Structure formats: C-alpha cells, structure tokens
Amino acid sequence: MVTKNPKGFLGRYGLGNKLVQEGGNLEEAVEHLTVATQLDPTHVASHLGLGRALVSLGRKEEAKPILQAGIDAARSGRSSGGVDLVPEMQALLRTLG
C-alpha cells in the first residue's frame, strides 16, 4: 500500500503499527507513523501507535505531545473515531510522568 500510495495515511499507519505490534524495526515504525500523523492529524490510532513506538525506543518526552495530540483530536470531534483509545493514551501518558 505504501509503495502504491506513499501519501496515503492509512498505508503508513498500517505498516508502522504492524512493525510496533510485531517487534519490528521501531525506527522505521516511527518514520511511517510520523508521516501518518502528518497526513491525517485527526487519525487517533496513528498517534497511539507513534506514542507506543517512541516509548519503546526510550523517547518518552517526544511521545508526550504525540499522545496528547491524539487525545485532543479524539475529544475535539474532528476525528472519525478513536474516542475509545483515549483511556489507553491517558494511561500511557500517566506512566511517562
């Protein structure tokens, strides 16, 4: 999907999220998920995936604003879903201090 449509957020999200879930190359996951959040700043799951990847890499300070942006997008009504991910993002934020 990414090869056919590199500017499509869904392919970027899917690839990045798969890398995170399967313990793949987290730096590559961050790259894809960062692009996904830039292409569609209201896609809440992209923010959560990127936040998880950054935390796994020990980049906690970078993860905080990403997770907060996902929460804000979900609560603003601008996103087409993702409200169900808010509690998970809030819990992850709390662990970061």
Side-chain angles (χ1 to χ4, degrees), residues 73-84:
R75 288 185 170 162
S76 73
R78 294 178 292 138
S79 68
S80 59
V83 174
D84 58 320

Side-chain angles (χ1 to χ4, degrees), residues 1-2 5-13 31-43 46-47 50:
M1 263 177 98
V2 173
N5 186 10
K7 294 192 180 198
F9 84 91
L10 199 53
R12 294 290 189 147
Y13 162 73
E31 180 183 323
H32 290 295
L33 291 164
T34 297
V35 172
T37 61
Q38 292 168 347
L39 292 171
D40 186 352
T42 66
H43 190 248
S46 292
H47 287 85
L50 179 53

Side-chain angles (χ1 to χ4, degrees), residues 13-36:
Y13 162 73
L15 180 54
N17 198 50
K18 184 176 179 102
L19 289 166
V20 171
Q21 290 178 342
E22 295 182 359
N25 182 330
L26 292 177
E27 291 292 346
E28 184 181 351
V30 166
E31 180 183 323
H32 290 295
L33 291 164
T34 297
V35 172

